[in-house]
Amino acid sequence: MILEKRLDIILDILKKEEAVSNKILTEKLGVSESTLRRDLSYLQDMGKITRVHGGAVLNSIVPREINFTDNQKIRLSEKSKIGRKAKSLIGDAKFIYLDAGSTCNEVIDYFENGQDITIVTNGLMHVEKLIGKNIPTILLEGQVKPETKVTTGPKTLASIGKYNFDLAFIGANGFDDKGFYTADINEAMVKAKAIENSTRAYVLADRSKENIRYFATIATRDEIKLITEEE
């Protein structure tokens, strides 16, 4: 069984039980204790669970986000499907806010070379791809956050406030039936301002982020539409 499937099963069990023993998880997954320990360590590093003696518990509010380098390696098929769907939503939009993150990064793969759009972003990870596609790009100023490769803080918030967008694609670390969430309040404020200044806006997030809450709320479910990998 591949890693991503095992992680999904562990999280599904914890969402139902809130706490589960290592013995039950090894039986459910059919893996060795050493493999389970690595899986649990990975989920703990992502902030989704806390390992306890003999088992694991689900974090009700995830304390931190996974860094971009690790995040870009997982859910590749799902992110690619979301990127393709997002490209189909552009229509006649000319000025687009493309939020930071690995899912939003996939949208660029579906842009045409020299496409008649202008991208504004706080995502450092997007710049090389956008240059390669010959797409006019504005990078928001601000403090660089190395682990997630974004610009953020008061200068970024002030900078984005100067722009209006036809369309915004927003990333989120988690969502539920109430809203969309991220770990950093400064990033949440930038995302919220992008939504406010856009004619249309969509959150791009795969279903593995469902029912996971972080400290900061980006928007409520009635404020913005969700785009997932599902048809």
Side-chain angles (χ1 to χ4, degrees):
M1 186 184 302
I2 64 173
L3 172 63
E4 291 181 0
K5 182 63 175 177
R6 295 199 307 270
L7 299 183
D8 283 341
I9 291 172
I10 293 169
L11 289 174
D12 284 344
I13 293 171
L14 283 169
K15 286 171 187 176
K16 295 173 183 175
E17 305 294 336
E18 294 188 358
V20 66
S21 70
N22 289 343
K23 183 177 184 298
I24 290 175
L25 288 174
T26 54
E27 291 173 354
K28 292 278 189 182
L29 296 169
V31 297
S32 65
E33 290 186 6
S34 60
T35 297
L36 178 64
R37 284 195 298 270
R38 287 194 295 270
D39 290 353
L40 294 180
S41 293
Y42 187 81
L43 288 170
Q44 182 167 262
D45 289 342
M46 292 173 68
K48 294 186 177 183
I49 70 165
T50 297
R51 295 182 66 185
V52 296
H53 181 68
V57 296
L58 186 69
N59 291 339
S60 57
I61 297 179
V62 181
R64 62 187 182 278
E65 57 197 331
I66 187 171
N67 65 58
F68 176 78
T69 302
D70 290 337
N71 203 20
Q72 68 176 338
K73 299 175 184 176
I74 62 174
R75 312 283 176 194
L76 299 182
S77 174
E78 291 88 342
K79 291 172 183 176
S80 180
K81 290 177 182 177
I82 293 169
R84 185 175 64 252
K85 290 173 72 173
K87 168 59 168 61
S88 71
L89 295 168
I90 291 176
D92 60 359
K94 299 298 182 185
F95 300 98
I96 299 171
Y97 180 73
L98 185 64
D99 198 16
S102 59
T103 304
C104 288
N105 190 254
E106 287 293 317
V107 182
I108 303 171
D109 292 342
Y110 294 94
F111 289 159
E112 298 166 11
N113 187 57
Q115 188 165 340
D116 184 21
I117 55 176
T118 296
I119 298 294
V120 177
T121 184
N122 70 333
L124 300 176
M125 72 289 294
H126 300 333
V127 175
E128 186 174 354
K129 273 189 177 183
L130 289 166
I131 291 172
K133 291 274 188 174
N134 297 308
I135 293 174
T137 301
I138 298 169
L139 180 65
L140 296 175
E141 67 173 312
Q143 183 176 351
V144 174
K145 187 176 174 184
E147 60 271 25
T148 50
K149 301 186 185 301
V150 305
T151 57
T152 188
K155 287 187 177 181
T156 310
L157 186 60
S159 182
I160 196 172
K162 299 174 184 178
Y163 298 100
N164 294 304
F165 309 107
D166 298 311
L167 176 64
F169 293 125
I170 305 296
N173 296 117
F175 63 91
D176 58 20
D177 58 353
K178 295 180 180 179
F180 301 95
Y181 310 104
T182 191
D184 187 321
I185 185 62
N186 291 309
E187 289 190 48
M189 292 170 69
V190 172
K191 294 170 191 285
K193 178 56 72 171
I195 295 168
E196 179 184 339
N197 287 9
S198 298
T199 302
R200 293 184 289 131
Y202 302 89
V203 167
L204 308 182
D206 67 78
R207 285 291 176 183
S208 71
K209 298 177 179 178
E210 190 170 13
N211 294 319
I212 297 175
R213 289 188 299 148
Y214 284 76
F215 174 68
T217 298
I218 300 165
T220 60
R221 287 299 293 260
D222 60 355
E223 290 177 309
I224 185 170
K225 186 176 180 180
L226 171 66
I227 304 298
T228 74
E229 71 274 21
E230 296 174 353
E231 296 299 332

